[in-house]
Amino acid sequence: MIAELSAEPIPSGQPIRPPSPSPLPIPDYLRGHGMVKCLHAIGPLLQAARATVREGARRLVESHPDAPFDAETVEEALAVNLAEPLLTMMTRVMILELNVARLEDRLQGATPRERFDSFLSGLETPAMAEELLEQYPALLPQIVNRLNQWTAFSLEFLRHISSDWHAIRETFFPCDPGLLVSIRGGAGDTHKDGRSVMIASFSGGVRLVYKPRSLAADEHFQELLAWLNGRGAEPRFRLLKTLERGSHGWVEFIANEPCQTAEEVYRFYRRQGAYVAILYALEASDFHCENLIASGENPMLIDLEALFHPRLDPISSNRADYVAGRTLGYSALRVGLLPQRFWANEEHDGVDMSGLGSAAGQLTPSPVPQWEHSDTDEMCLVRRRVEMPGSDNRPTWKGDAVNAFDYAEAIAGGFSSMYRTLLKHREELLHLIRCFSDDEVRVILRATQTYSTLLHESFHPDVLRDQRDRDALFDRLNDAAEFRPALKRVIPTERADMLQGDVPLFTTRPCSRHLWTSGHERIDNYFGEPGLALVESRIQQLSEADLERQLWIVRASIATLASSVEGPVKTRRASASNREIGPRQFLSAARGIGDRIEELALHGDGEVSWIGLVAVDDHQWRLAPLGPDLYDGLAGMVLFLAYLGDVTEDRRYTALANSALQTLRGQTEDNRSPWMTGGFIGWGGLIYTFSHLASLWSDPSLRAEAERMADRVPGLISSDKHLDIIGGAAGCVLALDSLYRSKPSGIAMRAALACGHRLLETSRRFERGIGWVQPDLGPAPITGFAHGNAGIAYALLKLFELTGEPRFASAAGGAMEYERALFSAEQQNWPDLRERRTADFLTAWCHGAPGIGLARLCSLRSMDDQPLRREIDAALDTTLQRGFGGNHTLCHGDLGNLELLVQAARILHEPQWKVRADGIAAAILADVPETGWVCGNPLGLESPGLMTGLAGIGYELLRLAEPARLPSVLALERPIGL
């Protein structure tokens, strides 16, 4: 292997002392890292590789006298890029051997640092280095391979810059740029035998980007932008200078620069919206944060590989879930510029790597290797989540990064304007895109993260002792093929690339159905349809109706950048109206919402679903097909539509509810079922929905389904950490009450008791009363209906009614006592104690007076005293004074707050509260023609769900029309008449 690197044999058995402290120049960010000394172990190999490049550079200068580099110094500028990849390969092996030497007492020195240095000094002895490397026979071939790749690619780069220099000068540099002084490699992943993007810096202060691939698609994209500038694009696009040379090309270097004025920031985001429209039309993908640079007011797309992207693994299923997934997957969201989070779970918010988002400070989605006790003989590897640095994709102004959320309308305006430009010039555009037909474009078959993780783990010491173990690691590529059979055809190529240390690269041509590998092997008819045909079809389908759909997706994705779930959108000052209004008007408005929900439905084979903007937790939103939950998912849609069909006697709504119910059943059967137990998110919400449907449709089989769900609860409840109404045991109790009252059973009672026991055992006693700590919300118990003591106390009293056990009533009293101690006489409200709160006091069902008042009203059946009555009075007064004028939804909007008044009229037998509710509802309805229905998300966007969307608004309108026929869903009441 050494002979491949040098014509001169490297002597063995003799120490070779490099002329400098390290056999490689070290980049600034690695200086001071003690492990760089382990490169001495491969010093002879490094010397041979560097000598080959030095000799090649001399020969190139001889044949190209005007070459822009010094033959004696350019090799060092190239060699600086070797340290990081070599250290990635070697460090874990070296640390393991360091610890073995420490445990065997083979290190010299009085301190941990001295012993560490003694180990690294020993690596300068060829005998010790050879002995160590022999223990890991799979490592040395990878090191040699990397050096061979570096040698070949370095000389290729120097040949290209030498032969292209005249054209480079003409295209990029009107003045002499000087000589090459630095060359930063690894600007992106390595493909095709170690090739990657290079950034060349010259002594004259200018830079140039080298790309080891064809730039034909890049050049044609700039021509498209120029054409759009000529068709009235406003603001105009800045064009990027490129030089296409077939196998490679050169690109103008774009520097990250701040905006100077607010107007520049606005224009930046207008252009971003326009880019989303263009890339949507071109079926583009992969425009994440690293492929975009904010250069003043110009967002510059610096990697245009993934245009005309074919569609992968077509799903033949026509189930509604898949239809919804495809609709979103091939929308404007696919481009990658719009915000979206990946790898989210209960413990992690996920990561947004989009071109518009990707803020600094996000935590890595999984723990990453980090060194502890660095540069000591106890150095070891630990894994933890760390903050990710920001990219250069976001504009800055006055020293701060600008959040795209604040410029949502600029983005939407840019998208609309460009979309209509493309639509207006459709025929010209169809002709123009044919110039891309034979351009090489990239196909992304898997997330690059998958390849990168496998490559990193392939240098773990455990798989370097035997090449067969390292080979076996890449067998994990087969895992995804079970679900994506088309991957089986490319796995041999993926393995071959990764065994060479490369991220696999696949390409195609827009006019072709074939796939090409990194080795230029053609895999015939890999795609069902060529990318160009997809783009032509997309352009033909541009329309005002599609613009409306895509514009909603653009806005909804931007709304996910908000930092709070509540933040009700202020639309007007709502006050009681003198306008006469009654059940007929409320019912008509509810029908209008039902009709709109029908318009938004995505149909499959006998099923239906929707795409929504749904709350993930108390501070985050997600744009996605609806899941199974009651809160904003399919269960909530089914519940509203079923009651709407019943009240109106219109079978359309009942049929739509039935279709959505089929989709809901499919989700629970496909192991995508909720794992929580709560009344709104979890099995409790499904039990509640099926119990109500059984009563409403007189269908015992639905009750039986609810009982089978209830039978799961005792096995899950011991792991419940939420405990509250939304996602925990308290909400499940209320759902089980509906099931038990419809038909008493041991299953429902056992489940309810398991929930009660969980609440009792997790309660904590405080100076006044008891509470429940939820780690996600803060260190102290919180107040309120949705997550706090008010809702839990109400559930405990409901359990007392079911069982007659005084311990549940006693615990409910303790929960109210804790909350009562926090009441603010000045605010006439209860504080929001969550760590991530938006304000100290909210006035909503979820947090604050309306929800706490509702809980107290519903508790009067089991507990009635003067303190509780005073709290109800305070809640009613506060809700009337400060509870209206926001969005229209149930969770934290006006219709949810109206429920307190509706319940007060019924439970207190004081009909004036219903009169007040009707007057406020009349004012809301009067505003709707102007504002539309304002949903409870950060931008007030139309969304279908129950608690923050249209279904909940419609449900409460039905309840205003027919309070005797509909139970309070906000109180999770049992079906009427039970």
Side-chain angles (χ1 to χ4, degrees):
M1 288 181 288
I2 292 175
E4 297 177 46
L5 293 172
S6 174
E8 297 295 327
I10 296 175
S12 59
Q14 301 177 27
I16 298 179
R17 301 290 177 178
S20 63
S22 171
L24 274 182
I26 304 300
D28 290 341
Y29 64 89
L30 287 177
R31 292 185 187 279
H33 191 305
M35 284 308 297
V36 299
K37 294 181 180 178
C38 75
L39 295 172
H40 287 294
I42 56 171
L45 296 173
L46 291 172
Q47 286 183 338
R50 294 183 64 180
T52 301
V53 173
R54 279 194 300 271
E55 180 58 29
R58 292 190 191 104
R59 292 173 182 168
L60 281 168
V61 169
E62 289 174 1
S63 60
H64 296 80
D66 63 344
F69 54 84
D70 183 323
E72 301 304 318
T73 61
V74 73
E75 175 272 325
E76 183 145 334
L78 288 160
V80 76
N81 299 301
L82 268 175
E84 182 175 9
L86 291 174
L87 285 172
T88 299
M89 294 178 180
M90 298 173 63
T91 300
R92 280 188 284 181
V93 161
M94 296 301 173
I95 295 303
L96 175 61
E97 291 301 317
L98 167 70
N99 279 275
V100 169
R102 174 177 58 82
L103 293 173
E104 293 179 353
D105 200 25
R106 290 190 280 109
L107 301 177
Q108 298 179 353
T111 67
R113 178 58 191 253
E114 289 177 356
R115 292 190 290 273
F116 174 80
D117 288 339
S118 77
F119 173 80
L120 292 179
S121 296
L123 295 177
E124 297 184 47
T125 305
M128 178 179 172
E130 185 174 347
E131 179 183 353
L132 187 151
L133 290 172
E134 282 179 351
Q135 298 180 52
Y136 301 93
L139 176 59
L140 187 59
Q142 287 299 311
I143 292 171
V144 172
N145 176 66
R146 184 71 188 94
L147 292 174
N148 283 334
Q149 290 176 338
W150 173 80
T151 301
F153 183 45
S154 294
L155 292 174
E156 180 179 272
F157 168 78
L158 295 177
R159 284 196 304 273
H160 286 161
I161 200 169
S162 299
S163 59
D164 297 343
W165 187 240
H166 179 71
I168 290 171
R169 286 289 308 272
E170 284 190 339
T171 305
F172 300 103
F173 303 132
C175 299
D176 182 9
L179 295 179
L180 274 171
V181 291
S182 73
I183 305 162
R184 179 164 68 87
D189 303 311
T190 62
H191 307 291
K192 295 185 175 181
D193 292 323
R195 292 173 172 84
S196 69
V197 174
M198 307 268 265
I199 299 176
S201 299
F202 298 85
S203 58
V206 295
R207 284 175 282 186
L208 184 64
V209 179
Y210 170 80
K211 295 194 174 185
R213 63 171 178 83
S214 169
L215 296 184
D218 302 62
E219 288 200 335
H220 289 140
F221 188 79
Q222 300 309 311
E223 292 169 5
L224 174 61
L225 293 183
W227 178 79
L228 289 168
N229 282 343
R231 299 301 180 277
E234 186 56 42
R236 292 169 63 84
F237 296 106
R238 175 183 163 186
L239 304 184
L240 192 63
K241 294 179 183 178
T242 63
L243 179 61
E244 154 68 349
R245 308 300 279 180
S247 64
H248 64 281
W250 305 89
V251 184
E252 171 187 2
F253 178 82
I254 300 296
N256 175 231
E257 296 175 349
C259 291
Q260 301 301 321
T261 65
E263 290 74 18
E264 287 191 358
V265 178
Y266 175 82
R267 289 195 294 270
F268 178 95
Y269 281 115
R270 284 279 298 193
R271 291 185 177 97
Q272 282 286 58
Y275 272 134
V276 174
I278 296 166
L279 296 171
Y280 166 68
L282 294 182
E283 291 275 1
S285 183
D286 200 40
F287 283 86
H288 53 75
C289 59
E290 294 178 355
N291 288 339
L292 174 79
I293 292 177
S295 183
E297 66 176 74
N298 293 288
M300 302 299 292
L301 306 178
I302 60 170
D303 193 339
L304 293 155
E305 287 184 290
L307 304 175
F308 296 83
H309 201 283
R311 298 190 177 182
L312 310 174
D313 301 316
I315 298 172
S316 58
S317 172
N318 200 34
R319 287 180 51 178
D321 268 351
Y322 291 114
V323 171
R326 286 198 297 268
T327 300
L328 194 57
Y330 293 122
S331 71
L333 198 65
R334 183 197 193 196
V335 169
L337 282 176
L338 294 173
Q340 53 185 319
R341 288 186 176 273
F342 296 100
W343 306 297
N345 53 47
E346 189 197 23
E347 298 179 351
H348 191 266
D349 289 345
V351 176
D352 173 21
M353 299 298 291
S354 67
L356 275 166
S358 188
Q362 299 182 94
L363 292 180
T364 53
S366 56
V368 296
Q370 299 285 298
W371 296 114
E372 278 194 350
H373 311 298
S374 293
D375 300 349
T376 74
D377 65 339
E378 296 179 345
M379 191 172 178
C380 62
L381 186 74
V382 296
R383 294 177 183 268
R384 63 169 70 96
R385 289 192 171 102
V386 298
E387 288 191 358
M388 300 166 63
S391 297
D392 291 335
N393 61 303
R394 300 174 73 195
T396 56
W397 182 41
K398 296 183 177 179
D400 295 319
V402 180
N403 190 345
F405 178 78
D406 298 326
Y407 288 83
E409 285 312 303
I411 297 166
F415 181 88
S416 298
S417 177
M418 179 52 63
Y419 189 106
R420 290 194 170 103
T421 297
L422 299 173
L423 183 57
K424 179 180 178 181
H425 300 285
R426 188 201 318 259
E427 295 308 316
E428 287 182 82
L429 180 61
L430 284 167
H431 177 76
L432 183 60
I433 62 168
R434 295 188 183 109
C435 69
F436 289 91
S437 294
D438 294 315
D439 295 348
E440 182 180 88
V441 292
R442 186 176 176 186
V443 179
I444 300 165
L445 298 180
R446 301 184 197 248
T448 300
Q449 180 69 26
T450 300
Y451 296 131
S452 299
T453 300
L454 278 176
L455 279 171
H456 182 79
E457 293 306 319
S458 75
F459 290 100
H460 191 286
D462 288 350
V463 298
L464 292 174
R465 291 189 174 91
D466 189 323
Q467 183 62 47
R468 291 171 296 184
D469 293 334
R470 190 169 189 269
D471 292 351
L473 178 69
F474 297 121
D475 288 342
R476 297 188 182 182
L477 292 167
N478 293 302
D479 295 347
E482 179 183 350
F483 308 101
R484 298 176 56 198
L487 286 176
K488 294 177 182 177
R489 298 177 68 186
V490 301
I491 288 175
T493 294
E494 290 178 312
R495 289 178 59 89
D497 284 350
M498 297 185 75
L499 286 168
Q500 290 295 106
D502 285 331
V503 170
L505 179 72
F506 298 95
T507 59
T508 188
R509 313 289 183 270
C511 63
S512 175
R513 293 175 54 209
H514 306 320
L515 180 73
W516 280 267
T517 70
S518 58
H520 307 291
E521 175 191 356
R522 193 177 81 180
I523 303 176
D524 289 343
N525 300 318
Y526 191 84
F527 308 109
E529 196 170 0
L532 182 61
L534 292 170
V535 172
E536 289 173 338
S537 177
R538 167 66 53 80
I539 294 171
Q540 292 285 11
Q541 293 170 9
L542 296 179
S543 65
E544 286 295 326
D546 181 62
L547 172 58
E548 180 187 351
R549 286 190 294 271
Q550 301 307 320
L551 196 55
W552 180 84
I553 288 170
V554 169
R555 288 192 171 105
S557 68
I558 296 167
T560 65
L561 294 174
S563 59
S564 168
V565 167
E566 283 85 22
V569 179
K570 292 294 180 183
T571 58
R572 75 239 168 272
R573 182 177 59 84
S575 57
S577 171
N578 295 324
R579 172 187 171 202
E580 295 234 350
I581 196 166
R584 184 171 60 84
Q585 289 83 4
F586 294 137
L587 192 57
S588 176
R591 289 187 69 116
I593 288 176
D595 293 343
R596 179 57 177 161
I597 285 174
E598 185 178 31
E599 289 175 18
L600 296 172
L602 297 166
H603 294 267
D605 291 333
E607 299 181 346
V608 71
S609 189
W610 293 264
I611 293 170
L613 184 58
V614 298
V616 179
D617 47 35
D618 71 322
H619 67 282
Q620 188 178 320
W621 293 86
R622 180 177 67 235
L623 175 61
L626 298 191
D629 58 273
L630 178 66
Y631 186 89
D632 263 339
L634 287 172
M637 304 300 291
V638 171
L639 193 71
F640 165 59
L641 290 166
Y643 272 107
L644 181 62
D646 183 68
V647 172
T648 63
E649 299 182 356
D650 189 330
R651 296 183 61 82
R652 285 185 303 128
Y653 305 126
T654 304
L656 197 59
N658 254 312
S659 295
L661 182 61
Q662 301 315 310
T663 313
L664 177 61
R665 283 183 171 128
Q667 289 183 345
T668 60
E669 291 167 1
D670 288 348
N671 295 321
R672 288 178 288 161
S673 53
W675 59 270
M676 291 192 288
T677 56
F680 286 94
I681 300 176
W683 285 108
L686 299 184
I687 293 167
Y688 183 82
T689 300
F690 276 76
S691 299
H692 278 253
L693 294 178
S695 176
L696 198 62
W697 293 344
S698 301
D699 185 347
S701 68
L702 290 166
R703 186 178 298 109
E705 285 187 71
E707 285 213 341
R708 286 194 291 273
M709 296 172 189
D711 205 25
R712 295 175 180 241
V713 170
L716 297 172
I717 203 68
S718 62
S719 59
D720 173 28
K721 297 178 181 178
H722 297 273
L723 308 171
D724 58 15
I725 293 291
I726 293 287
C732 198
V733 165
L734 299 178
L736 290 163
D737 176 70
S738 287
L739 177 60
Y740 187 83
R741 298 294 181 179
S742 65
K743 184 180 180 182
S745 74
I747 290 175
M749 181 59 76
R750 281 193 298 275
L753 284 169
C755 293
H757 294 153
R758 180 64 177 169
L759 290 173
L760 294 181
E761 72 183 7
T762 54
S763 65
R764 291 173 53 182
R765 181 155 297 279
F766 293 85
E767 185 176 347
R768 288 189 59 181
I770 64 173
W772 291 262
V773 175
Q774 300 171 66
D776 291 346
L777 301 180
I782 67 171
T783 65
F785 194 108
H787 299 291
N789 268 31
I792 296 175
Y794 165 47
L796 286 166
L797 286 175
K798 189 65 67 176
L799 199 53
F800 168 62
E801 290 179 25
L802 275 175
T803 65
E805 295 189 20
R807 57 185 177 144
F808 296 125
S810 175
M816 290 184 187
E817 183 184 358
Y818 174 88
E819 209 164 42
R820 194 165 289 148
L822 294 167
F823 178 75
S824 168
E826 179 183 359
Q827 294 287 330
Q828 288 293 291
N829 203 350
W830 291 260
D832 182 358
L833 300 179
R834 292 172 300 164
E835 285 186 319
R836 297 181 178 182
R837 61 183 181 269
T838 55
D840 290 336
F841 293 89
L842 291 181
T843 310
W845 168 83
C846 48
H847 301 281
I852 294 175
L854 179 65
R856 299 294 194 263
L857 277 169
C858 294
S859 298
L860 283 175
R861 181 172 173 176
S862 303
M863 179 182 292
D864 191 350
D865 56 28
Q866 284 306 308
L868 191 147
R869 293 269 178 172
R870 285 195 295 270
E871 289 177 320
I872 292 171
D873 290 341
L876 284 163
D877 288 344
T878 299
T879 301
L880 283 173
Q881 292 176 27
R882 299 195 292 274
F884 302 99
N887 68 75
H888 296 132
T889 58
L890 293 186
C891 183
H892 43 268
D894 289 2
L895 273 294
N897 290 350
L898 275 182
E899 178 60 26
L900 176 65
L901 309 187
V902 175
Q903 283 286 66
R906 180 179 71 86
I907 294 172
L908 300 178
H909 305 291
E910 297 176 2
Q912 74 270 19
W913 291 113
K914 180 62 165 61
V915 175
R916 300 288 291 274
D918 288 352
I920 294 170
I924 292 171
L925 286 179
D927 282 344
V928 167
E930 180 181 346
T931 65
W933 290 112
V934 181
C935 291
N937 52 64
L939 294 176
L941 299 175
E942 179 180 75
S943 191
L946 183 74
M947 294 301 286
T948 68
L950 295 176
I953 296 171
Y955 189 95
E956 194 64 22
L957 288 168
L958 275 182
R959 186 154 155 73
L960 287 166
E962 298 278 0
R965 292 183 64 177
L966 272 76
S968 170
V969 70
L970 287 179
L972 290 178
E973 286 185 331
R974 67 188 70 151
I976 298 296
L978 297 183

